[in-house]
Amino acid sequence: MQHEKFGEKDFQTIIGNLLRYGVWISLSVAFLGGIVYLIHNGSHIEDYSVFKENDRNIFEVITAVYNGAIQGNGSYLIFVGIILLFLTPVLRVLLSLFSFILEKDYLYVGITLIVIAIIITSISFGFSH
């Protein structure tokens, strides 16, 4: 019995499914959060005339979002949906990296590592002042 090699077509199928299901899951979570938010805050009018800056670091934000989502807070559920939507293409880049490593396409491994470094840098500086 011959073992089949895990090929590029398999990675393309996985990446396609990741993008498809990632978008649907993030949309579902955000939609559920919107429903919960409207049930609890539907009559509340938010005051957007004053911008409130957030001075928390990334770990405090992640902890707050996690705790809020676990408690069923609608606004945090919406935020989880947005985070999932953001992470979907990031995971695609990571899967592409593994695909390029298996294919021994080192030019694209290098390019993908640069893209990952840019993403990490952007996230890091986006939450620091």
Side-chain angles (χ1 to χ4, degrees):
M1 182 179 211
Q2 205 175 25
H3 293 283
E4 288 188 33
K5 192 175 177 183
F6 198 76
E8 181 181 350
K9 186 174 181 179
D10 298 319
F11 262 108
Q12 294 304 322
T13 301
I14 291 170
I15 289 170
N17 286 335
L18 170 74
L19 293 172
R20 183 178 305 111
Y21 296 126
V23 169
W24 279 109
I25 290 169
S26 62
L27 176 67
S28 300
V29 170
F31 185 74
L32 175 66
I35 291 172
V36 170
Y37 181 83
L38 287 175
I39 288 171
H40 294 187
N41 303 315
S43 62
H44 177 74
I45 298 174
E46 191 66 39
D47 179 20
Y48 292 111
S49 62
V50 178
F51 177 73
K52 300 170 191 165
E53 187 173 350
N54 187 348
D55 287 337
R56 298 185 291 184
N57 67 36
I58 183 68
F59 300 109
E60 292 173 336
V61 171
I62 290 171
T63 302
V65 169
Y66 174 78
N67 290 333
I70 293 297
Q71 294 171 0
N73 182 309
S75 59
Y76 286 112
L77 286 170
I78 293 169
F79 198 64
V80 168
I82 292 168
I83 291 171
L84 290 173
L85 186 62
F86 170 77
L87 286 178
T88 299
V90 172
L91 290 174
R92 184 227 184 277
V93 171
L94 290 174
L95 279 176
S96 296
L97 175 66
F98 291 116
S99 173
F100 296 140
I101 290 172
L102 287 178
E103 294 172 14
K104 297 179 179 166
D105 191 345
Y106 299 115
L107 173 64
Y108 283 103
V109 168
I111 293 169
T112 305
L113 286 172
I114 292 169
V115 170
I116 291 170
I118 291 169
I119 291 170
I120 291 171
T121 304
S122 298
I123 292 171
S124 299
F125 288 119
F127 280 101
S128 65
H129 296 293

